[in-house]
Amino acid sequence: MSAARLSDRLSSHQPLVLGLFRIVLGLLFASEGAATIFGILGRRSSPVGDWPFWYAGVIELVCGVLVLLGAATRSAAFLSSGAMAFAYFTEHQKNGLFPLQNGGLSPALFCWGFLLLVFFGPGALSLSALAGRGGATRPVAEQAL
C-alpha cells in the first residue's frame, strides 16, 4: 500500500478517532471530578467550597460530562484546559520543573488534550453532530489551509 493511500485511509477515520479520544478524555476527567466531589474511587471528598480543590472538582465533573457527550465541547474543553494549566502552575510546578518530578503529569496531559479539542472540535459521535450543529470535523487532509 502506498504512503498516499495509507494517509487517505487513516484521514478518512479521523472524525471517528477524534470522537473516541473526546469520549475517553471526558470520561477520565469526569471521574476525577466525581472522585473529588463525592469521595469515590479511593479518594476523600473535598469539603464544599474548599479552594481550589472543590471548585476544580466541579469544573472537572461538569466539563468532563459535557466533553464526554460532545455538547458545548469547545467551550468546556477551553475551560478544562485552563483549569489544568492553573493546577499545574499553582500546585505542581513549585515541586519541580518537569511533570515527572512534580506529580503534574495528569494535569499537563489533560491541559494539552483539551486544547486539542478546542481547535479540532468534538469529532464524530457527539450530541452537537446529532443536532446538526457541525460537530463532526472533516479530516485534516480535506480542510483548506
Side-chain angles (χ1 to χ4, degrees):
M1 181 180 290
S2 71
R5 282 186 56 205
L6 179 60
S7 179
D8 290 343
R9 187 170 182 162
L10 292 174
S11 293
S12 70
H13 296 293
Q14 181 181 340
L16 179 61
V17 173
L18 182 61
L20 293 173
F21 173 78
R22 174 190 45 79
I23 290 168
V24 170
L25 191 67
L27 180 63
L28 293 173
F29 203 57
S31 68
E32 285 280 342
T36 300
I37 293 172
F38 303 118
I40 58 174
L41 303 172
R43 187 180 295 168
R44 289 186 185 179
S45 65
S46 187
V48 174
D50 183 34
W51 176 258
F53 303 106
W54 185 82
Y55 293 97
V58 170
I59 290 171
E60 290 167 355
L61 181 59
V62 172
C63 290
V65 169
L66 287 172
V67 167
L68 168 67
L69 297 174
T73 303
R74 290 178 193 258
S75 300
F78 182 76
L79 180 59
S80 300
S81 181
M84 290 297 96
F86 177 83
Y88 183 81
F89 288 112
T90 60
E91 296 297 321
H92 295 278
Q93 195 173 35
K94 61 186 173 191
N95 300 324
L97 178 63
F98 297 106
L100 287 176
Q101 291 175 307
N102 62 29
L105 188 59
S106 291
L109 289 172
F110 275 128
C111 179
W112 287 103
F114 284 119
L115 191 63
L116 181 84
L117 291 178
V118 170
F119 286 92
F120 282 90
L125 308 173
S126 67
L127 288 180
S128 59
L130 289 175
R133 296 186 182 156
T137 57
R138 294 176 291 155
V140 172
E142 295 176 13
Q143 295 177 0
L145 294 176

